Amino acid sequence: MSHMPIVAEELALLDDVTRTLEAAPTLRPPSEASVVEELKHLREALRSGEKAEDHAALLEQWHRQSALLDQLRASRQMPQVSRTSPYFAHLRLREHGHEFDVLLGKATWLKGGVQIVDWRHAPISRIFYRYRQGEPYEEEIAGRERTGEVAARRTVAIRDRQLQRIEAPEGTFVPDVDAADGWRRIAREPPRLAGGEGSALRAHAPDEGTSRRLGTHPHGASQRADKHLPDIAGLIDPEQFALITRPSSGFVVVRGTAGSGKTTVALHRIAYLAYADATIDSDRTLVVVFSPALRDYVSHVLPSLGVEHVQVRTFHEWAAEQTRRLYPALPRIVREATPAVVHRLKLHPALLVALRRQVERVPGSSAALQAIDDWASVLRDVAVLESVFAEVAPGAFTREELERAAAACRDQHERILAWIEGDHHAQPELDAEDDALLLRAWQLRVGPIPARGGGALRYRHVAMDEVQDFSAIEVQVLLGCLDARQSITLAGDTQQHVLPDAGFTSWSTFFHDVGLSGVEVETLEVSYRCSRQIAEFALAVLGDLRDDDRPPLTVRSGPAVELFRFTDHGACMAFLTDALIDLAASEPLASVAVLTPSRELSALYHGGLERGEVPRLRRVEHQDFTFAPGVEVTEIEQVKGLEFDYVILVEVSSTHFPDRPSSRRLVHVGATRAVHQLWLTSVGTPSPIVPVRA
C-alpha cells in the first residue's frame, strides 16, 4: 500500500511555506546608532550643569531615548522564523467541518496563508501537546472556547529547507534514493519507556513514604521483630557483609562504582555497630552527606534499620552550626557571588599546611579572636600563600591569581572587622567555604571543638558518603572530632567527582592531604543498580577517567541506551510528552528523572511537559525530591546519590557537554541514576563523549 499521501502532503506544505518565506522581505530592526549618539549628547548636557529649568526636560529625553534603545535591542533578540528549518510539527485541526493547518516552530509567522506559531507561547500549541491524532479537543484559546478534532498530528525534521523525516501515527517516513517514490516507511516499534516500574528502591507509592525504603521489602513483607539489626543477609553480598562487620575502631574506606552499594554498606555498618554498642545509636554518631536530598533520604533509612538517634547532616549545615557557636561575633550573611579564584583557594588542601604554619609561627592566646586572625592572615598574605603553594602544590595558582584572591579576601576581612567593631554599615559577608577554615583554625589554635554540654565534641562514629566531593579541609575538621577509637566510614567514587574545585581525584592524594597513612581502600565491583547496557554506556562516557579497563560487573540486562535527535526543543518536548503520558498510564508507580545541564533548560522542559499535561510532574529546584512516583525535572548535579526507574538526559550536546573531564563525570553521574532504562536527547550536535548515535 502506498504511503505517499502523507509524504506528498508534507512536501507540498514545506514547499508552500518556503515560497512564502522567501517572497517576504527580510525585516531588520532599525539601527540603534542614532539613538546611542543622542544619548551621548544628552549625557554630556546633563554633566555640563545645564540650568535647573532645563535639567528636568533633558532627564525626560534621556529616559525616553533609553526606553527606545531597550526596545530596539529587545526586538533584535526576538526569535525569528528560520528559513532553513521553519517548523518542527504539523497540526491539522477540524472545527465545524472546516480543516486548517497550524505549524509549530521557534517563532511566530502569520502571513501569506501560512500559520507558524511559537510553541512556547502560542495558546493553540497546547492542543498539539495535550491531544493525539483522532482525539476531540476542547480548549479556551484567546478568550473563547474552541472545540474540534485533531485530524493530523505529525512531527517533521527539516534541515537546509529539505524534509528529512516525518513522524506520524501512520508510521515514520525517511528519504530513500532506492525506493520507487524516493521515500520509505520504517517498519519498527516506536521508542517507548516500559518494563521498569518499581525498580528503583527510592521510589514508593504515595502512602508508603515511611515504609518502602532501603532495607525493607518493596512488596510490604514484614521486617524482623528484632529492630536492632534487620535481616541484612538477604540484601547484601559477601564483600559488602565483610565491610559492614569490620571492627568498630579504625578507618573503613569503601570505593565502588555507581550502584555498587557504598551507601548501603555505610548505613548498615552503623546498624551493625549499634547492635553491639548502644552508644552508636545516639547523637554521638554523625552521618555526613553531600546534599539535602540524600540527607532527607538517609534520615528515613536509618529508622528502618532500627537506628533512631543518629544525626544526619550535610557538612555545610553541621559546620555552619558549629561556627555560629564558636564565633558569635562573626556575621552570618553568606556571600552568593564568591569570586571563582577565592572559591578555589579556600577549598584547596594547601590551606591546611598554611593554617598549621601560621599557628606555629605566630604566638597568640587560645581564643576565638586569635583564630579569626589566623584565618584572615593566611588568606590575605600573598607571600605566605605563594611560599606554601610553591612547596606543596606548584602550578595550582599563578602569582597574579594569588594576588587577586588575597586582595578580595583582604576587602572581605576589613568589612568583617569593621562589623565586629560596631560599624553596621560595613555589609560583611562570609563564604560558605569559610566555615571549615574557621573550624580548622579553632582546632589548631584553641583545641578541640567544644560540645554544647561541656567538654570536647567527640563522635563515637562518623560516616561520610560521596566523600570524593568534600574538600580535604572539611574531612580534616571531622577527623579532629573523632574519639580515641577513630571510628569512621568513608564511602566514595572518584569517577563521580563532579566539583572541580573541591574533593579529590585519587585516593592516594586524598590520604596524603588529610595526613593519613596505611589506610586500605576496599572496592565494591558489582553494580546492582544499573543494567549491563547502562553500566557499559556510563563507563564508556568516562573514557580515560575510568579507574580500570575491566568490563562492568552487573547482575541483569535491560533495554539499550538510546539517543534521539531533534531540530528543536519543542519537537523534543512533544516526543517526551507522548512517551511520559504513555508510561504514566502503563506504569503509574514508575519514577522518572528528566535531567538537564542548566536551570534554564529545566524550566523550559518543565514548562513544556506541564503544558502537555504530563501527570505527577514536579520541578525540583532545591533538592526537594519526594521519592514518589512521577516525573521530576532538575539539573544533573542535583541527583547525586539518588536513583530512578527511568532517566532522560536532555540536551547532551557538544555545547553543554564539551569533551572535558567535568562533562564526562557529569554525564556518568546522570546516566548511573537509571535503574532500568536510559534515554538521551539532543537538539544541537551530540557531544563527542556520548558513545551512542541516533
Side-chain angles (χ1 to χ4, degrees), residues 205-221:
D207 59 346
E208 294 177 340
T210 57
S211 61
R212 180 152 182 229
R213 299 291 182 176
L214 183 66
T216 63
H217 194 283
H219 302 296

Side-chain angles (χ1 to χ4, degrees), residues 124-290:
I124 202 168
S125 69
R126 292 199 302 264
I127 297 175
F128 181 84
Y129 289 102
R130 293 181 178 179
Y131 301 91
R132 305 292 179 92
Q133 184 168 301
E135 290 184 348
Y137 61 84
E138 182 176 341
E139 290 285 337
E140 182 178 321
I141 298 174
R144 67 185 184 92
E145 287 290 328
R146 298 280 292 270
T147 59
E149 180 183 334
V150 178
R153 182 184 183 274
R154 304 164 187 163
T155 58
V156 295
I158 302 169
R159 293 186 178 90
D160 297 325
R161 297 181 172 85
Q162 299 297 313
L163 185 62
Q164 297 186 347
R165 188 181 184 91
I166 304 168
E167 297 268 3
E170 294 83 357
T172 299
F173 306 97
V174 295
D176 186 350
V177 295
D178 296 325
D181 49 18
W183 286 75
R184 66 184 172 90
R185 181 179 182 275
I186 300 176
R188 67 182 181 91
E189 279 288 312
R192 58 191 296 259
L193 298 165
E197 178 179 70
S199 302
L201 287 173
R202 300 182 184 189
H204 53 79
D207 59 346
E208 294 177 340
T210 57
S211 61
R212 180 152 182 229
R213 299 291 182 176
L214 183 66
T216 63
H217 194 283
H219 302 296
S222 61
Q223 299 182 23
R224 283 173 46 145
D226 180 0
K227 296 297 183 180
H228 286 93
L229 184 62
D231 186 4
I232 59 177
L235 299 171
I236 62 174
D237 63 25
E239 289 75 20
Q240 293 171 332
F241 188 81
L243 290 173
I244 289 168
T245 56
R246 288 275 292 271
S248 63
S249 61
F251 290 72
V252 172
V253 181
V254 185
R255 163 190 173 271
T257 59
S260 59
K262 299 182 297 298
T263 306
T264 300
V265 166
L267 301 185
H268 280 81
R269 177 164 164 72
I270 291 173
Y272 175 82
L273 296 177
Y275 183 74
D277 183 349
T279 64
I280 294 289
D281 186 13
S282 69
D283 61 5
R284 293 185 60 201
T285 293
L286 176 67
V287 178
V288 182
V289 294
F290 182 74

Side-chain angles (χ1 to χ4, degrees), residues 65 103 146 177 179 257 272 274-275 330 347 351 356 382 453 471 475 511 544 571-572:
Q65 292 297 317
L103 308 176
R146 298 280 292 270
V177 295
T257 59
Y272 175 82
Y275 183 74
L330 285 178
L347 289 171
L351 287 191
R356 187 181 72 248
V382 177
S471 74
V475 176
F511 291 143
D544 294 340
C572 180

Side-chain angles (χ1 to χ4, degrees), residues 53-74:
E53 59 267 23
D54 295 333
H55 190 274
L58 288 170
L59 200 57
E60 184 180 349
Q61 290 181 55
W62 170 270
H63 290 315
R64 188 164 57 247
Q65 292 297 317
S66 296
L68 177 58
L69 182 61
D70 290 342
Q71 187 176 358
L72 287 173
R73 289 177 174 172

Side-chain angles (χ1 to χ4, degrees), residues 513-654:
D513 289 340
V514 297
L516 298 177
S517 60
V519 178
E520 295 184 3
V521 179
E522 308 290 345
T523 301
L524 300 175
E525 297 182 340
V526 180
S527 174
Y528 292 98
R529 176 190 300 144
C530 303
S531 67
R532 175 178 55 80
Q533 289 80 356
I534 295 170
E536 288 177 349
F537 168 87
L539 286 180
V541 165
L542 286 174
D544 294 340
L545 301 175
R546 292 174 60 166
D547 285 343
D548 56 60
D549 293 327
R550 289 178 296 173
L553 299 177
T554 58
V555 296
R556 58 189 169 79
S557 186
V561 176
E562 295 184 84
L563 168 67
F564 303 96
R565 294 193 63 183
F566 303 91
T567 57
D568 187 270
H569 288 297
C572 180
M573 212 86 68
F575 171 79
L576 295 181
T577 296
D578 290 349
L580 293 171
I581 288 175
D582 288 344
L583 179 66
S586 61
E587 301 182 19
L589 296 183
S591 62
V592 185
V594 176
L595 305 180
T596 79
S598 69
R599 294 184 62 187
E600 292 75 18
L601 278 176
S602 293
L604 179 70
Y605 273 77
H606 177 264
L609 297 175
E610 189 174 47
R611 282 192 293 275
E613 296 186 330
V614 171
R616 291 177 177 165
L617 179 71
R618 297 180 290 275
R619 169 79 168 96
V620 177
E621 296 190 76
H622 304 291
Q623 299 193 331
D624 48 345
F625 294 92
T626 62
F627 306 110
V631 180
E632 297 188 294
V633 183
T634 192
E635 301 78 57
I636 295 177
E637 57 264 25
Q638 295 217 40
V639 295
K640 280 177 62 65
L642 307 182
E643 62 184 43
F644 303 85
D645 294 322
Y646 301 93
V647 169
I648 300 169
L649 299 183
V650 167
E651 194 50 15
V652 287
S653 64
S654 56

